[in-house]
Amino acid sequence: MKKLLFLSAITICFFSACQNEDYIIGGDVNETNIFDGTTFEWMQNSDVANETAQLFEIAGLQDELNGDVTVIAPSNYAVRRYLRRLTNQALRLDPGAAKITVNDLNADTLAKYMKMYVVDGYFSRDEIPEEGIILPTHLAGDTVRLTLDQVNIDPGTAWDGGGTPGYGYQYSNFMQSTPYLVHVHFKRGNNWEMTSQERSAINNDSPEKDQVYRMYISDVVTSTGVIHVIYCGDYNYSDHYYYHTLFFYGSRDDDQL
């Protein structure tokens, strides 16, 4: 099947006044965001989520993934960071420890926690209300919030070229209108932290700190549901700790030995 890449930052607007509904795929205009196949098949064929699809397969969740659901999928980078953190923890205990790979992961653990990325129903940008929507995930007791927010910067390109953290790529320098991007808000403690100020007051590594991410890929409508792929947070332009790690596992110290 054809591989499709929907770049979320320019999904709706690109050198235009947002007067059309074209989608950008690999830099070319495509008139549809429809994929002729299941959600799991799309992930298997995606350059940014095929490793994530492998974890869903090990967990035995293909049928659940292909139900009437929206998948808010971690990217391959989130999976790799998780494996790197596991490996570094093992190397601290045993310098001769082998590198941990996908094949070393526990299927039962994946079967439980990969469900935190799945919600019932179809939630593309058109179905997300202006005030956002809070949804239970398939992980018991877990909830996420989906929003559609206007943004002007890309923290993924935060460095200004001179070695100083800046505000990165600014869409208003290239577009007549700034885009609205799908975001996911993971509630991690007992309370929702609804503002960036509330979240920034909590240490990044705290399990109580909510995490909010924009999508790298959004609004892929498959024959069975909808899929978005997580990119990064909109905060902290001085480092790369705003990228998602699978299950929020470990701490920043685990990114290095």
Side-chain angles (χ1 to χ4, degrees), residues 8-240:
S8 63
I10 49 178
T11 295
I12 300 301
C13 315
F14 189 76
F15 297 110
S16 72
C18 299
Q19 294 177 346
N20 59 54
E21 293 291 331
D22 289 338
Y23 291 82
I24 306 302
I25 302 179
D28 297 323
V29 173
N30 190 55
E31 295 181 354
T32 181
N33 58 331
I34 305 299
F35 175 72
D36 184 18
T38 68
T39 294
F40 182 69
E41 288 171 334
W42 183 88
M43 291 183 67
Q44 284 184 308
N45 285 275
S46 167
D47 290 336
V48 296
N50 53 2
E51 294 172 32
T52 309
Q54 187 178 357
L55 300 192
F56 277 111
E57 185 173 16
I58 292 171
L61 296 176
Q62 300 98 310
D63 289 343
E64 190 160 342
L65 209 66
N66 289 334
D68 297 332
V69 300
T70 296
V71 181
I72 307 155
S75 69
N76 290 343
Y77 306 108
V79 175
R80 294 170 193 172
R81 193 176 192 187
Y82 173 63
L83 294 172
R84 183 170 71 248
R85 287 184 171 188
L86 287 171
T87 296
N88 287 342
Q89 288 178 347
L91 287 170
R92 289 194 196 102
L93 296 174
D94 176 8
K99 180 180 179 180
I100 295 175
T101 71
V102 167
N103 294 326
D104 298 315
L105 299 181
N106 182 276
D108 291 337
T109 298
L110 294 177
K112 177 180 179 180
Y113 288 105
M114 291 301 288
K115 292 184 178 184
M116 68 184 288
Y117 300 110
V118 183
V119 300
D120 287 328
Y122 294 79
F123 292 96
S124 62
R125 61 190 301 120
D126 293 336
E127 285 76 42
I128 298 174
E130 183 176 351
E131 67 277 10
I133 185 168
I134 294 175
L135 300 163
T137 74
H138 284 199
L139 176 63
D142 185 52
T143 53
V144 296
R145 180 172 178 257
L146 293 180
T147 59
L148 189 63
D149 304 298
Q150 190 174 27
V151 298
N152 189 41
I153 52 179
D154 186 345
T157 52
W159 297 89
D160 66 359
T164 302
Y167 287 98
Y169 179 102
Q170 298 188 35
Y171 301 121
S172 58
N173 291 335
F174 303 94
M175 300 178 181
Q176 295 180 30
S177 298
T178 53
Y180 283 81
L181 305 183
V182 177
H183 287 70
V184 59
H185 179 162
F186 290 95
K187 179 176 178 286
R188 302 194 61 218
N190 293 325
N191 303 306
W192 288 94
E193 291 112 38
M194 288 297 192
T195 68
S196 59
Q197 291 80 8
E198 289 177 302
R199 294 189 292 274
S200 63
I202 303 174
N203 184 280
N204 281 333
D205 290 329
S206 171
E208 295 294 311
K209 181 174 182 175
D210 289 3
Q211 299 290 340
V212 179
Y213 303 99
R214 67 173 61 176
M215 300 304 171
Y216 178 58
I217 297 173
S218 63
D219 284 344
V220 181
V221 178
T222 71
S223 61
T224 56
V226 175
I227 184 168
H228 309 282
V229 180
I230 299 168
Y231 179 29
C232 65
D234 289 332
Y235 52 87
N236 197 352
Y237 306 103
S238 62
D239 56 42
H240 292 290

